Amino acid sequence: MPLQTITLHINGENRPTTVRASDTLLYALRGRLGLTGSKPGCLNGDCGACTVNVDGWPMKSCLMLAVEAVGKKVTTIEGLHDSPIQQAFVKEFAFQCGYCTPGFIMNCHSLLEQHPDADDQTIKEWLESNICRCTSYIEIEKAVKAVMRGE
Amino acid sequence: MAGKEDFQIVLPFDFDYYLPKNLKEAVELYRYLDQQGKQPMFFSGGTELITLGRIDLAYTEAVIDIKEIAECQMIQFSDHQLLIGSAVTLTQLEEANPFPLLTSVSSEVADHTARGKITLGGNICAQIFYREAVLPFLLADSELIIAGPEGLKTIQINEIFQEQLRLKKGELLVQTSTDKRFIEAPFYAVKRRQQWDTGYPLITLAALKMGQELRVAISGLCPFPFRSPEVETYLNRWGQAAETRVDNALSALPKPILEDVEGSADYRLFVLRHLLVDALSALERAGA
Ligand SMILES: Cc1cc2nc3c(=O)[nH]c(=O)nc-3n(C[C@H](O)[C@H](O)[C@H](O)COP(=O)(O)OP(=O)(O)OC[C@H]3O[C@@H](n4cnc5c(N)ncnc54)[C@H](O)[C@@H]3O)c2cc1C
Ligand code: FES
Ligand code: FES
């Protein structure tokens, strides 16, 4: 099928984007828009490296077609600028190689947006959507809680 | 601009994408595209096509996305029925929590972020053998509202869900309709995984007690989720010891029992035995 041009609302801007209907949002972001902060990992919905925020909720961008994002607000890691959760990740040493970090940050950012008073059980449930092969989840959890406490 | 690695992240085939605004349009599109030889596919959360398509286990030339159809998007109590649209995501169901047993079972599917994409109807109609979200509806004798070329029909889930949802070509699951009495009934739900809370489930057991009658539905034991009248008959012989009832129930299970990397058949039966004993003791006095 021919390419089609759709308008994606990304990081506060309308971006005309030429895609195939079968392109995933992850591919459109990286391959068509040059937003390479969302990482390809498993491409199967398992690892969370590709997580972005769609209308306030976390979304694995490898599980969504670009055409499904029309009319929705997409935020990628490039759309966060020195946000509290980014600062907390640095302060708490919540990453090592950093490959999983944009996905974790976008998930944590959505959690703070949806459940700013989340209990431990909710934090755990949300964080389990992302996999990190380097560091422990303790630092990441600490970073989320530091933001919750307004530090 | 595309990096080298990005070539692996596209689906290896093209399709047309349709976003019908109502049921009639969706059903007609299906019929038309099928006549054109496009192998059309309804698309709800779409995770099956996106993940299996990448490894050549799913294919279509025409995707019919049902997310914009109002009937497929609603969660609503009307009279004594709870209606849930097939395109409602599992996360929406957890957040709204209209059916606690469903929340409890579905919140174990995949992971939290993925459940924001996976939908109720998609899980019930999926190829994968787990399909845990169907269990509460089997227990509650829910009705399914189905749209097809002849219009809408309502059918009891236990009639049409036999190992899988027996939809005819071009039929679309619109909603589930569940009587409030079942939603308020005492329940027990538990999932055992091979490794502690990671990876796919080994077995999920959902149980519900209506008056003195215990009902159980199981996923991850056989290559399909099920509820079995024979199993329930044995479990409901309340005069007998729990272990006896469970052993008799185990002898009446459907076949085959799964045997795979997640666990051998014997291990699955061992796990199920414990889950059933726990369910009996948890619900022994409930609803009396
Ligand atoms: C990371 C990850 C983890 C997973 N873990 C689990 C798990 O623990 N348990 C489990 O059961 N599954 C699991 N799956 C598989 C996934 O649940 C199924 O692929 C999913 O349930 C499908 O939901 P969906 O809304 O994306 O459906 P879709 O992909 O949209 O549809 C699935 C199938 O049903 C058909 N269909 C969809 N809606 C309708 C409808 N309304 N009427 C008629 N036909 C319809 C589609 O044509 C397609 O064939 C997992 C998937 C991923 C990506
Ligand atoms: S790349 Fe999307 S979840 Fe792994
Ligand atoms: S920091 Fe390396 S994978 Fe998480």
Side-chain angles (χ1 to χ4, degrees), chain A residues 1 20-22 27 30 32 42-44 57 59-60 62-63 65 68 115 124-126 128-129, chain B residues 1 5-6 9-11 13-16 43 50-51 54 67 95 111-113 115 117 196-197:
Chain A
M1 167 167 144
R20 300 184 312 155
S22 57
Y27 179 73
R30 293 179 58 83
R32 309 241 186 235
C42 63
L43 306 175
N44 201 41
W57 292 87
M59 175 61 66
K60 294 181 172 181
C62 70
L63 287 183
L65 299 175
E68 289 184 271
H115 295 290
K124 181 165 177 279
E125 198 186 355
W126 280 59
E128 275 171 6
S129 305
Chain B
M1 206 158 38
E5 89 276 17
D6 285 332
I9 74 180
V10 298
L11 281 174
F13 52 88
D14 282 319
F15 49 72
D16 293 323
F43 181 102
I50 295 173
T51 56
R54 218 170 51 82
K67 277 196 288 290
E95 295 279 333
D111 60 66
H112 178 269
T113 305
R115 291 197 299 277
K117 194 75 181 14
W196 181 72
D197 75 8

Side-chain angles (χ1 to χ4, degrees), chain A residues 95-101 132-135:
Chain A
F95 56 90
Q96 288 178 27
C97 80
Y99 197 80
C100 69
T101 311
C132 174
R133 45 172 198 187
C134 302
T135 178

Side-chain angles (χ1 to χ4, degrees), chain B residues 13-14 34 62 69 81 86 92 128 134 141-142 177 210 216 223 234-235 244 264 266 272 275 279 282 288:
Chain B
F13 52 88
D14 282 319
D34 187 43
I69 300 172
Q81 304 291 320
S86 58
Q92 285 172 309
I128 191 166
V134 78
D141 292 331
S142 299
S177 169
M210 279 306 281
V216 298
Y234 285 118
L235 292 177
T244 312
S264 66
D266 283 345
L272 178 65
L275 297 183

Side-chain angles (χ1 to χ4, degrees), chain B residues 78-152:
Chain B
S78 72
D79 297 329
H80 293 288
Q81 304 291 320
L82 167 66
L83 298 177
I84 306 178
S86 58
V88 173
T89 68
L90 300 186
T91 299
Q92 285 172 309
L93 283 170
E94 284 157 43
E95 295 279 333
N97 195 23
F99 187 176
L101 170 58
L102 177 60
T103 300
S104 165
V105 171
S106 77
S107 65
E108 299 286 345
V109 172
D111 60 66
H112 178 269
T113 305
R115 291 197 299 277
K117 194 75 181 14
I118 292 173
T119 64
L120 177 65
N123 191 249
I124 293 176
C125 298
Q127 290 184 27
I128 191 166
F129 56 67
Y130 295 108
R131 290 169 276 157
E132 297 95 321
V134 78
L135 302 178
F137 300 99
L138 295 176
L139 293 176
D141 292 331
S142 299
E143 291 181 323
L144 300 184
I145 293 125
I146 292 166
E150 286 98 46
L152 285 178

Side-chain angles (χ1 to χ4, degrees), chain A:
Chain A
M1 167 167 144
L3 293 167
Q4 53 179 303
T5 300
I6 57 175
T7 300
L8 294 177
H9 189 87
I10 299 181
N11 301 332
E13 281 176 48
N14 282 325
R15 303 276 309 257
T17 313
T18 302
V19 297
R20 300 184 312 155
S22 57
D23 283 345
T24 58
L25 178 62
L26 176 64
Y27 179 73
L29 292 171
R30 293 179 58 83
R32 309 241 186 235
L33 291 166
L35 294 169
T36 54
S38 311
K39 300 298 177 205
C42 63
L43 306 175
N44 201 41
D46 294 315
C47 74
C50 65
T51 305
V52 298
N53 177 302
V54 176
D55 283 347
W57 292 87
M59 175 61 66
K60 294 181 172 181
S61 61
C62 70
L63 287 183
M64 185 175 197
L65 299 175
V67 289
E68 289 184 271
V70 171
K72 302 196 178 335
K73 279 191 183 151
V74 180
T75 308
T76 68
I77 189 73
E78 289 90 346
L80 297 190
H81 300 284
D82 212 13
S83 64
I85 188 67
Q86 285 167 302
Q87 293 174 22
F89 261 64
V90 176
K91 220 169 129 206
E92 301 293 341
F93 301 100
F95 56 90
Q96 288 178 27
C97 80
Y99 197 80
C100 69
T101 311
F104 259 112
I105 288 185
M106 294 316 296
N107 189 20
C108 295
H109 178 76
S110 308
L111 171 60
L112 292 163
E113 198 176 339
Q114 297 302 335
H115 295 290
D117 305 314
D119 56 18
D120 283 3
Q121 168 68 27
T122 307
I123 296 174
K124 181 165 177 279
E125 198 186 355
W126 280 59
L127 291 186
E128 275 171 6
S129 305
N130 295 64
I131 292 170
C132 174
R133 45 172 198 187
C134 302
T135 178
S136 84
Y137 288 60
I138 295 170
E139 289 83 4
I140 296 171
E141 199 180 321
K142 272 192 193 157
V144 173
K145 288 184 171 168
V147 178
M148 285 177 173
R149 288 192 304 266
E151 281 170 21

Side-chain angles (χ1 to χ4, degrees), chain B residues 97-265:
Chain B
N97 195 23
F99 187 176
L101 170 58
L102 177 60
T103 300
S104 165
V105 171
S106 77
S107 65
E108 299 286 345
V109 172
D111 60 66
H112 178 269
T113 305
R115 291 197 299 277
K117 194 75 181 14
I118 292 173
T119 64
L120 177 65
N123 191 249
I124 293 176
C125 298
Q127 290 184 27
I128 191 166
F129 56 67
Y130 295 108
R131 290 169 276 157
E132 297 95 321
V134 78
L135 302 178
F137 300 99
L138 295 176
L139 293 176
D141 292 331
S142 299
E143 291 181 323
L144 300 184
I145 293 125
I146 292 166
E150 286 98 46
L152 285 178
K153 66 178 180 189
T154 301
I155 186 161
Q156 230 276 344
I157 191 168
N158 287 300
E159 270 171 48
I160 191 172
F161 192 96
Q162 279 140 17
E163 303 192 1
Q164 58 185 16
L165 192 60
R166 306 272 168 190
L167 292 177
K168 296 201 196 87
K169 193 171 191 178
E171 283 185 337
L172 172 68
L173 173 62
V174 182
Q175 287 166 347
T176 61
S177 169
T178 305
D179 195 304
K180 254 189 176 159
R181 289 178 307 132
F182 292 98
I183 288 171
E184 288 153 5
F187 68 86
Y188 181 81
V190 61
K191 166 178 271 187
R192 281 282 175 280
R193 298 180 198 258
Q194 189 187 30
Q195 294 146 310
W196 181 72
D197 75 8
T198 58
Y200 274 102
L202 185 65
I203 290 187
T204 303
L205 173 79
L208 184 142
K209 200 165 172 204
M210 279 306 281
Q212 279 310 296
E213 185 203 356
L214 181 75
R215 301 173 168 208
V216 298
I218 299 166
S219 144
L221 182 75
C222 300
F224 45 85
F226 67 90
R227 180 178 160 206
S228 150
E230 293 78 22
V231 167
E232 287 177 7
T233 303
Y234 285 118
L235 292 177
N236 278 301
R237 295 194 171 154
W238 296 97
Q240 298 176 348
E243 281 72 14
T244 312
R245 283 184 278 152
V246 168
D247 286 335
N248 288 335
L250 291 178
S251 71
L253 290 169
K255 300 260 163 354
I257 307 295
L258 285 166
E259 174 102 42
D260 61 18
V261 287
E262 308 288 347
S264 66

